[in-house]
Amino acid sequence: MRFVKRRTARRTAALLIAGAVCAGAAGCGLSGGHGGSPGRSGKPSRSSSAGKTAGKTAGKDSGKETGRSGSEHGGADRHDKGGGGHSGSHPHGKDPLRGKVIVIDPGHNPRNRDQPDKISRSVDIGTGKKECDTTGTATNSGYSEAEFTLALAHRVRTELRKRGATVKFTHDGEEPYGPCVDERAKKGNRAHADAAVSLHADGAPGGSRGFHVILPASVHRGDADTRAVAGPSRRLGTDLRDAFRKATGTRPANYLGNGEGLDTRDDLGGLNLSTVPKVFLECGNMRDAADAALLTSRKWREKAARGVADGITAFLT
Ligand SMILES: [Zn+2]
């Protein structure tokens, strides 16, 4: 999730709500979303302990779905394992993504809440400093963004594999926290991903509805240099927006991006430090009851996963 500076009042309200739900978890209120820095919350973070996690997640990717405890999640995983599937909804033949490497970044980590000190440490994102990671937001009934992003990521992986892609995760909930936002970006870079998508859900006030895609601004500062990937990332983001809207039937956010479902930012480590085409997808607003009803629905997540996979497929084929 994230908030935008220009909506200071809204943001403040949202943070207050988030604080009520996440009481006690450091970083939750303020950074509720993506890594929140005081300026703009909701960003992802990356960190740099990269190497080993990458290997680990890559290994895991080739094998089984991880069994997570979360109720939502368990069910989704079981379902994913079935394989089979997605026949024919894409027009590019049986394995349109064969040979392609796709990195999926499930935003936040359900265990972040237990490591407030570790996730709050600063990492360099080129245009400034950011918290390593944040807890993310949650629905009013307590379904966390971090559980949502993992559940959706597993479904997306299943869809992409059916189309022949190699899929890598930045994490699969196995880490005690994070990874930090800078590391999340570096994992995509090391994988030489053809496309990378970071999955999130927003934490705006109730009444703010819909999904949006966050695109990297063209920045060149410190370790951040997105000049070569800003254009391709915009194409990826536009394809993703179109496919997500079609697959889910939901509308672009009514509270930012002029209703176009696209927002460009230079304050997210996960985007700033990426050297491969990468975008964030904010699937909906967890704090809005109507959006929350979708986000907590397994059936809706199936559609959402297909939308994500369709968007990536359109970009890469
Ligand atoms: Zn988030």
Side-chain angles (χ1 to χ4, degrees):
M1 66 160 298
R2 63 178 276 260
F3 304 92
V4 184
K5 261 187 225 159
R6 38 193 199 263
R7 276 178 297 283
T8 306
R10 276 185 176 174
R11 176 169 177 268
T12 304
L15 293 177
L16 288 172
I17 296 166
V21 170
C22 320
C28 184
L30 238 204
S31 18
H34 291 197
S37 62
R40 227 167 148 152
S41 77
K43 316 179 165 218
S45 17
R46 286 141 190 245
S47 73
S48 37
S49 39
K52 65 183 166 187
T53 342
K56 215 191 290 181
T57 45
K60 183 164 279 182
D61 176 68
S62 57
K64 66 219 172 152
E65 304 277 346
T66 302
R68 194 144 314 262
S69 58
S71 44
E72 287 271 358
H73 195 107
D77 280 352
R78 262 194 306 283
H79 200 84
D80 281 353
K81 268 179 195 162
H86 174 85
S87 40
S89 60
H90 47 84
H92 301 285
K94 188 169 183 305
D95 293 323
L97 299 181
R98 184 153 302 287
K100 303 294 186 186
V101 176
I102 294 154
V103 167
I104 299 297
D105 175 35
H108 315 281
N109 180 330
R111 300 165 76 186
N112 278 355
R113 69 185 70 150
D114 302 324
Q115 305 285 347
D117 294 340
K118 289 183 175 160
I119 65 170
S120 63
R121 78 178 169 83
S122 260
V123 298
D124 192 334
I125 65 163
T127 55
K129 300 278 188 185
K130 211 60 185 277
E131 288 153 301
C132 154
D133 204 2
T134 56
T135 57
T137 187
T139 64
N140 292 331
S141 60
Y143 179 49
S144 74
E145 181 188 357
E147 288 293 331
F148 167 77
T149 63
L150 278 166
L152 179 60
H154 288 161
R155 289 212 168 274
V156 169
R157 179 167 63 187
T158 299
E159 284 292 329
L160 292 170
R161 283 176 171 170
K162 288 175 189 169
R163 304 173 194 201
T166 297
V167 183
K168 298 184 177 184
F169 280 6
T170 56
H171 79 101
D172 201 357
E174 77 282 27
E175 311 277 339
Y177 68 94
C180 296
V181 287
D182 56 336
E183 180 58 20
R184 289 173 189 259
K186 289 170 188 172
K187 287 186 176 189
N189 299 346
R190 284 194 297 265
H192 302 289
D194 294 289
V197 175
S198 187
L199 301 174
H200 290 265
D202 214 344
S208 298
R209 290 204 58 190
F211 75 93
H212 66 280
V213 177
I214 304 175
L215 311 171
S218 181
V219 297
H220 184 210
R221 204 169 136 202
D223 289 338
D225 185 355
T226 61
R227 292 172 296 174
V229 294
S233 296
R234 172 166 282 275
R235 290 195 294 280
L236 167 63
T238 303
D239 286 339
L240 183 58
R241 176 202 57 188
D242 294 345
F244 193 83
R245 175 163 48 188
K246 188 174 177 191
T248 63
T250 51
R251 314 237 306 246
N254 63 7
Y255 59 101
L256 83 180
N258 296 319
E260 293 179 1
L262 300 174
D263 190 23
T264 301
R265 293 175 59 171
D266 65 2
D267 63 329
L268 295 176
L271 295 181
N272 281 1
L273 301 176
S274 183
T275 57
V276 301
K278 182 173 180 181
V279 298
F280 275 39
L281 173 62
E282 297 280 358
C283 296
N285 177 18
M286 299 199 96
R287 298 284 174 187
D288 177 83
D291 272 14
L294 300 177
L295 297 163
T296 55
S297 157
R298 186 179 303 170
K299 226 170 170 120
W300 186 84
R301 288 197 301 271
E302 288 175 18
K303 295 181 193 173
R306 205 171 309 123
V308 173
D310 285 349
I312 292 170
T313 304
F315 172 68
L316 292 175
T317 52

